[in-house]
Amino acid sequence: MIRKAVIPVAGLGTRLLPASKAIPKEMVTVVDRPAIQYVVEEAVEAGIREVVLVTHSAKNAVEDHFDVNYELEAELEKKHKHDLLSEIRDIIPPEVRVISVRQGKALGLGHAVLCAREVIGDEPFAVLLADVLVDSPDGDRVELAAMLERFADSGKAQIMVEPVPREKVHQYGIVELDGATPEPGASVPMTGIREKPAPEDAPSRLAVVGRYVLPQRIFPLLAQTPPGAGDEIQLTDAIASLLAEQGVEAWHMRGQTHDCGSKLGFLEATLHYGRLHPELGEAFREMLDEAARKNQGS
Ligand code: G1P
């Protein structure tokens, strides 16, 4: 049973400036909670019980968000604001541990994952990239849970992928398959993986979304991976080595992704989660309808 997940949060977030100047990009709000909370909730829903944040000296707010805020709790208790109190206490269930390790130097995503090696130890684990929010189809369990199950059945690393337009392949890790793209909700062995290829060199349009289930073997492979694209130690390159050794599968996701690494992606995520919000959703949908009517009239 996989119980541990690594969430790298050390990146600077230059694409979100000025919002991310004095707060970590992971703490920028989507509706009523920081983006990172959606990602940790997804991990917890998939059965993860130990979350390893790979962080940076400028990112204390991320750690604080998952820690107890004693003063705030005492104040809310004094004022009998029990709903708010349980909301901040229940950000993560008590059985879930959040641990942080530091990535002192920005040497790349592969290096960030390698920083978690001591805490993960000798067992398989999940990786979730905090820039991407992943939704399952309506009412269904999180996709990561299905990937973990598939890993348990096949023993092969699982890499979540989704099709992207050809002009965007240079922004992603792109996988190569021998045959057809698997149905959404299934995985097939991949034959290659490349980090940020030029559109003319891309082996497919299937992009790595930012959810991985990896065996412990990835750590020694990462330790010997030289800098690659962007002169950074790439997780994609270590996955290519793993593929050569023991095979790796591409999991075709069924849900929807929201790229909170970009400003437009944030706006899209805000619209999406705003509409779905249990308390604010109805009023927000009315607000949007009203704005659409006004636009039509003008
Ligand atoms: C990282 C990975 C890339 C993946 C992407 C998903 O790139 O290196 O393979 O497709 O995340 O968001 P980054 O966006 O950090 O440049």
Side-chain angles (χ1 to χ4, degrees), residues 14-26:
T14 46
R15 284 194 293 160
L16 283 189
L17 284 170
S20 55
K21 184 182 172 206
I23 58 165
K25 63 174 174 170
E26 296 80 7

Side-chain angles (χ1 to χ4, degrees), residues 15 109 129 131-132 171-174 194-196 207-210 212 232 234-236 259:
R15 284 194 293 160
L109 176 61
L129 303 190
D131 275 353
V132 186
Q171 299 173 9
Y172 296 95
I174 299 291
R194 306 238 321 261
E195 182 67 10
K196 305 197 171 84
V208 174
V209 167
Y212 312 75
E232 293 187 337
Q234 296 292 351
L235 181 57
T236 299
D259 175 17

